[in-house]
Amino acid sequence: MNFTEQLKKQELFSIIGQAADALDQEAYVVGGYVRDLFLQRENKDIDVVCLGSGIALAEKVAEKLGNNFKVNVFKSFGTAQIPHPEFDLEFVGARKESYRADSRKPIVEDGSIADDQNRRDFTINAMGICLNGNRFGELLDPFDGQGDLKKGLIRTPLDPEITFSDDPLRMMRAIRFATQLEFDIDGPTFSAIAKMKDRISIVSQERITDELNKIILAKTPSYGFKLLESVGLLEIIFPELVALKGVEYKDGKGHKDNFYHTLQVLDNITEFTDDLWVRWAAILHDIAKPATKRFHKKAGWTFHGHEEMGSRWVKGIFRKMKLPLDQKMRSVKNLVRLHLRPIALAQKGVTDSALRRLLVEAGDDIENLLKLCRADITSKDMSRVRKYLANFDRVEELLIELEAKDKLRSFQPVITGEIIMKVFDIPPSREVGIIKSAIREAVIDGIVPNEMKAGYQFIIEEGKKLGFTPVCSVEEIEINQSPQ
Ligand code: ATP
Ligand code: MG
């Protein structure tokens, strides 16, 4: 492949070259952009390294691009960035790095292009292409990154143990790139990760989670998790997931390996959604199985309540992972808590009230819940899978019909606690709660329509059971309720 031709197609690269010529600097496009050029993957991040000041080069480039372009300068890092409508352009002077044991932040000094390539994490990320006019398109590939791209190999340019000890985030990056690119990890690089795994402790949780999320968003995330597990990193960063691993036998009865089952569900769900949070729900759906596992002489292995307990664990896991504790987390909780419900409906035969109840509880998570359930149907027996899926199609149709009819996802009972208190002239009390949940249940079960008149009649009857008599009519309530 002729990458010079490809670079020429994008005028920006010639402009950078001309700017560098004007300053009498050498300039190279480096790193991820070059790698992705060979792989024909789209990449919007252009990193330029020059011999000299990156800031001066950025300013010259902006000048050549015209009035609309400004430069953001990060003086303390010696870097500069140009916001461009199509690309994120970054400039930096070539540097040399040295590390201390307790930090992944290196001591940085000016260096040669070779120094700059030496400090990069993998051979495939250590290539540079010269942009200067007389050398435009010249590839600098000191570690045969091109060869590794062809072989599909993640390999560190220098001694892998030193590379990973210097900056242990690179261990996560190795596995993340292997997963995203579907590459192998070179033997010595792999062994070095296994050996240096405990160094991950000096990396911030945010950076670890960033890499983990990129693995989760890949096409086959299970590959990344299997790699993480086999080098021993998963045990450190996500022990709850490793606890799912293994099969126990008693009286000749075994259960499925919930680690591999979970990874299968995660891979399955990539067919249905790119949403990171739904993928997290897939990872966490069975997380409490080890804690709820029991063996019964007759029934064999059970995991009763794992969905409730798992749902209660979500917040703690999100907090530890430094994931957001907002609505997204609440959706994950909801999905984990409800993940068995649609399947149970498909097996048992469906009643309208069970469907209504599910719609009310799932709210806006209903579509994602159905995706999770579909992904959760895994079995070696394909005819069983097909039978489940057919039942499941039916449940899904019924849910869609019911939702269209009753708009249950945003269900709010018309009869509120306040109305109950007014009708019987009673203060806030346990009895108000009893009547309120009775009317709510009756509406969900379809016994009473969710309307004022019917609701009023219903609570009068419920109130009677508790010895209350109404003090106002439905008309008086309606007048009070109507907007002023
Ligand atoms: P992507 O942006 O798709 O994640 P990338 O290769 O561009 O991939 P960045 O994190 O944007 O990755 O980094 C840009 C380049 O900087 C990399 O290609 C690599 O050469 C270098 N680099 C980034 N992080 C490290 C690191 N921790 N150690 C060594 N080199 C690194
Ligand atoms: Mg990048």
Side-chain angles (χ1 to χ4, degrees), residues 461-476:
E461 295 305 314
E462 288 302 302
K464 258 189 207 158
K465 291 184 203 163
L466 298 169
F468 299 143
T469 37
V471 298
C472 59
S473 68
V474 68
E475 287 77 16
E476 284 169 283

Side-chain angles (χ1 to χ4, degrees), residues 150-201:
K150 284 199 193 100
K151 284 182 249 172
L153 215 52
I154 304 293
R155 185 165 64 89
T156 60
L158 306 178
D159 180 330
E161 284 183 23
I162 296 171
T163 304
F164 293 132
S165 174
D166 281 350
D167 177 2
L169 180 68
R170 293 168 182 160
M171 302 191 284
M172 291 297 299
R173 284 173 61 89
I175 293 175
R176 185 258 288 191
F177 282 119
T179 312
Q180 284 180 326
L181 304 175
E182 303 184 335
F183 277 21
D184 291 328
I185 298 180
D186 190 45
T189 298
F190 185 91
S191 312
I193 299 177
K195 188 164 170 197
M196 307 311 284
K197 63 179 194 308
D198 294 315
R199 289 284 292 159
I200 198 73
S201 61

Side-chain angles (χ1 to χ4, degrees), residues 58-59 62-63 65-73 81-84:
E59 276 161 357
E63 187 189 306
L65 285 170
N67 294 336
N68 295 333
F69 291 88
K70 59 181 179 92
V71 179
N72 298 321
V73 174
Q81 184 241 356
I82 300 180
H84 183 276

Side-chain angles (χ1 to χ4, degrees), residues 31-33 35-36 41 43 45 47 104 119-121 125-126 167 169-170 173 176-177 180 214:
Y33 191 88
R35 175 199 68 221
D36 288 342
R41 277 171 104 220
N43 192 327
D45 295 345
D47 294 317
R104 50 174 296 264
R119 75 182 177 86
R120 295 189 176 262
D121 49 5
N125 288 344
D167 177 2
L169 180 68
R170 293 168 182 160
R173 284 173 61 89
R176 185 258 288 191
F177 282 119
Q180 284 180 326
K214 286 181 183 171

Side-chain angles (χ1 to χ4, degrees), residues 315-353:
K315 191 170 182 185
I317 292 173
F318 266 50
R319 184 177 288 130
K320 201 180 74 181
M321 293 283 180
K322 294 270 180 353
L323 289 165
L325 300 177
D326 57 5
Q327 183 52 42
K328 296 175 191 106
M329 185 273 293
R330 284 193 287 278
S331 283
V332 174
K333 275 183 84 152
N334 215 20
L335 292 172
V336 173
R337 187 169 64 83
L338 296 173
H339 81 268
L340 294 176
R341 294 275 285 278
I343 303 270
L345 290 181
Q347 282 168 327
K348 275 192 205 137
V350 223
T351 61
D352 260 16
S353 69

Side-chain angles (χ1 to χ4, degrees), residues 224-465:
F225 279 95
K226 286 175 191 166
L227 286 172
L228 284 171
E229 200 273 327
S230 61
V231 295
L233 272 172
L234 198 62
E235 179 67 47
I236 301 172
I237 64 171
F238 201 169
E240 298 88 344
L241 196 61
V242 180
L244 294 177
K245 205 173 162 225
V247 181
E248 205 176 329
Y249 284 92
K250 251 186 197 164
D251 298 351
K253 287 180 190 158
H255 57 77
K256 62 179 151 193
D257 184 311
N258 288 302
F259 179 67
Y260 293 106
H261 164 71
T262 294
L263 294 185
Q264 178 70 55
V265 175
L266 178 58
D267 281 353
N268 288 351
I269 211 155
T270 64
E271 302 272 325
F272 309 131
T273 182
D274 291 331
D275 184 314
L276 178 64
W277 309 107
V278 183
R279 292 190 182 192
W280 264 105
I283 294 168
L284 295 176
H285 79 289
D286 278 348
I287 201 74
K289 273 196 169 175
T292 53
K293 182 161 101 170
R294 300 280 179 277
F295 184 78
H296 307 266
K297 275 258 171 290
K298 275 194 189 137
W301 295 101
T302 64
F303 305 89
H304 285 309
H306 73 274
E307 68 283 15
E308 282 292 338
M309 189 184 281
S311 168
R312 276 185 266 121
W313 287 5
V314 169
K315 191 170 182 185
I317 292 173
F318 266 50
R319 184 177 288 130
K320 201 180 74 181
M321 293 283 180
K322 294 270 180 353
L323 289 165
L325 300 177
D326 57 5
Q327 183 52 42
K328 296 175 191 106
M329 185 273 293
R330 284 193 287 278
S331 283
V332 174
K333 275 183 84 152
N334 215 20
L335 292 172
V336 173
R337 187 169 64 83
L338 296 173
H339 81 268
L340 294 176
R341 294 275 285 278
I343 303 270
L345 290 181
Q347 282 168 327
K348 275 192 205 137
V350 223
T351 61
D352 260 16
S353 69
L355 288 170
R356 276 206 191 83
R357 201 168 283 282
L358 181 60
L359 276 171
V360 170
E361 287 189 48
D364 282 337
D365 296 320
I366 188 72
E367 280 92 4
N368 289 332
L369 180 64
L370 294 172
K371 288 176 188 169
L372 175 58
C373 286
R374 263 182 205 286
D376 196 16
I377 300 172
T378 66
S379 163
K380 288 198 187 77
D381 179 351
M382 278 319 284
S383 73
R384 252 178 90 179
V385 171
R386 268 194 295 275
K387 199 179 101 206
Y388 271 145
L389 283 173
N391 289 346
F392 196 77
D393 286 339
R394 180 76 195 124
V395 170
E396 188 161 6
E397 268 168 38
L398 290 172
L399 279 169
I400 291 166
E401 278 169 30
L402 202 61
E403 168 59 19
K405 195 167 70 148
D406 293 1
K407 304 274 179 288
L408 282 162
R409 75 170 63 195
S410 51
F411 173 72
Q412 288 298 338
V414 171
I415 304 282
T416 61
E418 262 177 33
I419 293 179
I420 296 168
M421 290 190 274
K422 206 172 278 168
V423 169
F424 300 112
D425 190 24
I426 52 173
S429 54
R430 201 171 65 89
E431 284 77 8
V432 178
I434 294 174
I435 300 175
K436 208 171 117 180
S437 56
I439 176 86
R440 182 190 147 87
E441 296 297 296
V443 171
I444 293 175
D445 285 341
I447 298 167
V448 179
N450 195 21
E451 299 161 3
M452 188 58 81
K453 281 209 171 58
Y456 178 84
Q457 277 313 320
F458 182 86
I459 61 166
I460 297 298
E461 295 305 314
E462 288 302 302
K464 258 189 207 158
K465 291 184 203 163

Side-chain angles (χ1 to χ4, degrees), residues 81-92:
Q81 184 241 356
I82 300 180
H84 183 276
E86 229 184 305
F87 297 103
D88 183 19
L89 272 170
E90 304 246 5
F91 297 83
V92 63

